[in-house]
Amino acid sequence: MRILVLGHTGYLGRHVAAQLSTLGSVRLFGGGRSPDADLRVDLATADTGRLAENLSDLSPDAVVNCAGSLGADPVTDAEVNARGPAVLCAALRRAAPTARLVHLGSAAEYGSCEPGVPVTEDAPTRPATSYGATKLAGTVAVASSGLDAVVLRVGNPVGPGAAPMSLPGGTALRLHRAGRDQDAVVRFGDLSAHRDFVDVRDLARAVAAATAAGPLPRILNIGGGRAVPIRELVRGLVAVAGFRGRIEEAGVGSSRSAGVAWQCSDITAARDALGWEPRFTLADSLAALWASTGAPGKADPVA
């Protein structure tokens, strides 16, 4: 089986590629802007015809699109998250119309949810930010493409190597920089919102399952299946880091998730369709994330 992973050098793409490489009879190709990519492409600016030619040369049986913009700015979000999937679908219809397309969407597409009620895939989509809106546009492009495609609506990824732009990755980086200084102060905005965190390694397993032959729903939620206060994630990282300073919380939360106080995905459909469920706890994820920073943890001796 020939599988192309777009965005293979990014946070999610690296884990997805690593998981797929463990499968038997898989020949893996990487796609993206990196010089060593098998398919050099930037979906934000790609020409459909040229991309179709390159895809035809690779003849993939499955394509996994991990490329995405993490809310950098509205223009970049639109180019990468909305235009990118549309161009990819158009090129695949020309070059590999029978290939399975697995596209990574986002739970941000749902927007604000009723507290205490996990959202199913047929819930209304009311994104609160340009990030969520552009991810939704990408989902619509994939789901309406006529291809053999599935969108995995991903919760909040956490785990080893988390991107510094993300809350888990950024928190780990700040705690790493603060070190063991008892007078250190790490400041955050409001941490009261609840999110559905999913280990990136569990996400990679879901992607691998979705590349297998057989019918799938157009959209599947991939999350941890429970709503966790962001404050709990920060405290968990503080504990595993052995941080001795002070955490201060004031102001508003992340602009990427503004206006969304509570979010949790119902992952029943993914269990049924993929035979998948999360294996890692949040504690597992935070320990692996901290270990990936290379910093000493609470169990390590103080120099």
Side-chain angles (χ1 to χ4, degrees):
M1 186 176 187
R2 300 164 67 87
I3 302 179
L4 169 65
V5 179
L6 295 166
H8 72 296
T9 60
Y11 173 46
L12 303 184
R14 292 196 308 272
H15 285 277
V16 166
Q19 179 67 34
L20 290 171
S21 69
T22 67
L23 303 180
S25 304
V26 167
R27 183 175 179 187
L28 200 61
F29 300 93
R33 294 176 294 180
S34 62
D36 62 341
D38 300 294
L39 173 60
R40 292 286 301 277
V41 64
D42 181 352
L43 291 179
T45 58
D47 173 76
T48 302
R50 179 66 179 273
L51 178 56
E53 292 176 4
N54 293 335
L55 286 170
S56 182
D57 291 339
L58 286 180
S59 299
D61 299 298
V63 175
V64 181
N65 184 25
C66 300
S69 169
L70 288 176
D73 63 79
V75 173
T76 303
D77 286 350
E79 291 172 341
V80 179
N81 298 337
R83 180 188 189 275
V87 170
L88 175 60
C89 289
L92 280 172
R93 283 194 296 267
R94 295 189 194 180
T98 62
R100 164 67 55 83
L101 171 59
V102 181
H103 174 73
L104 299 190
S106 170
E109 297 168 35
Y110 290 118
S112 185
C113 304
E114 181 182 350
V117 181
V119 292
T120 58
E121 289 81 356
D122 59 358
T125 48
R126 297 171 292 202
T129 63
S130 68
Y131 170 75
T134 56
K135 290 297 289 185
L136 177 58
T139 288
V140 171
V142 172
S144 62
S145 66
L147 296 167
D148 176 12
V150 58
V151 176
L152 303 184
R153 270 194 180 136
V154 183
N156 289 60
V158 61
M165 283 184 64
S166 70
L167 175 73
T171 300
L173 180 61
R174 294 169 70 186
L175 293 175
H176 189 178
R177 289 172 174 168
R180 301 297 184 89
D181 182 0
Q182 296 184 18
D183 296 322
V185 179
V186 180
R187 295 179 174 85
F188 293 88
D190 179 25
L191 299 175
S192 63
H194 289 61
R195 291 293 179 269
D196 187 340
F197 294 100
V198 59
D199 193 286
V200 67
R201 295 163 293 183
D202 282 329
L203 167 60
R205 289 175 41 247
V207 170
T211 62
L216 288 177
R218 284 298 189 189
I219 299 172
L220 289 171
N221 290 333
I222 302 297
R226 71 185 187 101
V228 178
I230 295 175
R231 191 177 291 117
E232 181 179 321
L233 177 139
V234 172
R235 288 174 177 170
L237 271 174
V238 164
V240 76
F243 177 66
R244 299 176 178 181
R246 188 169 76 255
I247 297 294
E248 289 188 356
E249 181 181 342
V252 298
S254 165
S255 60
R256 188 157 64 95
S257 56
V260 181
W262 192 94
Q263 198 165 63
C264 180
S265 295
D266 186 321
I267 56 175
T268 303
R271 286 193 175 104
D272 293 342
L274 302 176
W276 169 92
E277 62 181 3
R279 291 179 180 171
F280 294 97
T281 66
L282 182 58
D284 295 333
S285 303
L286 297 181
L289 168 56
W290 184 251
S292 71
T293 70
K298 63 180 180 182
D300 298 300
V302 178

